[in-house]
Amino acid sequence: MSFRAPSQGSVARLRSRVEDMPVMAFVGRLTTRFLVVNSVEAATTLAAKVFLAGVPALFVFAAFAPEALREELVDSLRAVLGLPAGSLDEVSRVHDAGSHLRQQTGAASAVFTLLMAAQVARSLQRLCRRAWFVRAVGFSPRLIGRWVLCLSVWLIVLLLQSQLHSGFGAGAWLGVVVLFVAWVLVWWWTQHLFLEGRIGWWPLLPSALLTALGTVGVQYGSHLVMPRAVARSVAEFGPFGLMLTLMSWLVAASAVVVFAITIGAFVAEEEPLRSLLGAPEPPRHIDPRQV
């Protein structure tokens, strides 16, 4: 039996039929959204900026904060990362050296470090714009105000993580619900802030729900993975192993945020949710350099 290769016309017809299938069309549009967002690069960039700018800003805050806030910060970091108490001994010693750090740092250096942390907010804003196809406008002083406001709110949320995990003392099971609701509100408000109200509140809800679900999942998953990962890294690399593990955790958490926001924006613009939520119709053509 001889084998005949399909003609170019039959291949073209088959490709057209596949592309016309609803599932394939849906996957194609979602893939295009991921390409516009540049998901992998966005996740690694966000993780790097949190590690290089956000983490030092936390140390500066701890150096100038009262003792009660420093202790609350350490407890909240432990709750977020799922680490046992002993693994944060190095962090606690740095926090306890607050007076020495204040003398070495100075007010000018502290302000510079906090301004560098604004790069984290800038990366989040760029992610939201790309996920929603919102074109960037020129730089204005109001942008800095939004970044500072976002970082301030996120710092408060971080300080409350230990209390949220325990349901404010009511129990761990209630803490799951309280933590999820809190993250929904935070991600909902964060998107609205960075999109400058150009997307209504209701279309932003799917992204807020998905991102909150991913954030809570990462936090509780960390309780299963991080203790062993930190112990193994510290045994192999010493205190530097904690930093390596933290960077890996940040990359994973950032990837969850990027994909959740992107998928949420995409789903909100697909029928029937688009009509239900009043989401805008996505543009047919978009230049990623303009968002």
Side-chain angles (χ1 to χ4, degrees):
M1 179 181 297
S2 61
F3 174 77
R4 296 181 58 185
S7 64
Q8 293 183 354
S10 61
V11 172
R13 288 193 296 271
L14 178 60
R15 180 183 301 174
S16 177
R17 291 177 181 177
V18 170
E19 291 177 349
D20 289 339
M21 294 174 61
V23 174
M24 297 305 298
F26 181 89
V27 172
R29 292 193 300 273
L30 180 58
T31 302
T32 301
R33 184 68 63 100
F34 284 138
L35 292 175
V36 171
V37 175
N38 202 354
S39 304
V40 176
E41 181 181 348
T44 53
T45 300
L46 179 59
K49 289 186 176 180
V50 172
F51 185 78
L52 297 175
V55 174
L58 287 179
F59 282 101
V60 171
F61 168 79
F64 287 86
E67 179 66 23
L69 285 182
R70 288 202 297 269
E71 294 178 357
E72 192 66 34
L73 179 60
V74 173
D75 291 340
S76 293
L77 287 174
R78 189 181 300 121
V80 170
L81 298 174
L83 296 177
S87 60
L88 289 180
D89 285 346
E90 295 293 331
V91 179
S92 299
R93 280 195 286 269
V94 173
H95 286 175
D96 292 339
S99 59
H100 177 69
L101 186 57
R102 284 194 295 269
Q103 295 173 1
Q104 296 295 325
T105 303
S109 298
V111 171
F112 176 77
T113 303
L114 294 177
L115 289 177
M116 286 295 296
Q119 294 297 317
V120 179
R122 184 173 180 269
S123 293
L124 277 174
Q125 183 173 38
R126 189 176 185 183
L127 167 62
C128 293
R129 284 175 172 173
R130 289 197 167 197
W132 284 98
F133 291 144
V134 171
R135 296 181 183 274
V137 295
F139 178 82
S140 67
R142 291 185 300 176
L143 287 177
I144 298 179
R146 290 190 180 94
W147 297 342
V148 173
L149 177 60
C150 177
L151 291 175
S152 300
V153 172
W154 274 75
L155 178 59
I156 295 173
V157 174
L158 177 59
L159 290 172
L160 291 174
Q161 286 300 297
S162 178
Q163 299 296 327
L164 292 173
H165 273 260
S166 65
F168 293 98
W173 287 106
L174 180 60
V176 176
V177 178
V178 172
L179 186 66
F180 175 73
V181 172
W183 279 120
V184 169
L185 296 177
V186 169
W187 284 115
W188 204 2
W189 173 81
T190 298
Q191 292 181 93
H192 191 267
L193 175 72
F194 284 152
L195 295 173
E196 303 172 10
R198 294 157 73 180
I199 303 294
W201 281 100
W202 287 114
L204 298 175
L205 183 58
S207 285
L209 290 171
L210 287 177
T211 313
L213 182 63
T215 304
V216 173
V218 167
Q219 291 188 19
Y220 281 97
S222 298
H223 288 260
L224 301 176
V225 177
M226 287 293 285
R228 287 180 293 180
V230 169
R232 183 169 58 250
S233 297
V234 171
E236 294 180 2
F237 304 104
F240 184 64
L242 177 60
M243 295 295 101
L244 291 176
T245 307
L246 175 60
M247 186 62 197
S248 301
W249 185 91
L250 287 174
V251 171
S254 298
V256 169
V257 169
V258 169
F259 281 92
I261 290 180
T262 304
I263 294 174
F266 172 77
V267 170
E269 292 178 344
E270 291 286 313
E271 294 293 353
L273 281 182
R274 185 165 69 86
S275 299
L276 181 64
L277 301 176
E281 184 177 358
R284 296 182 179 274
H285 302 286
I286 188 70
D287 185 358
R289 294 171 297 180
Q290 296 179 341
V291 296

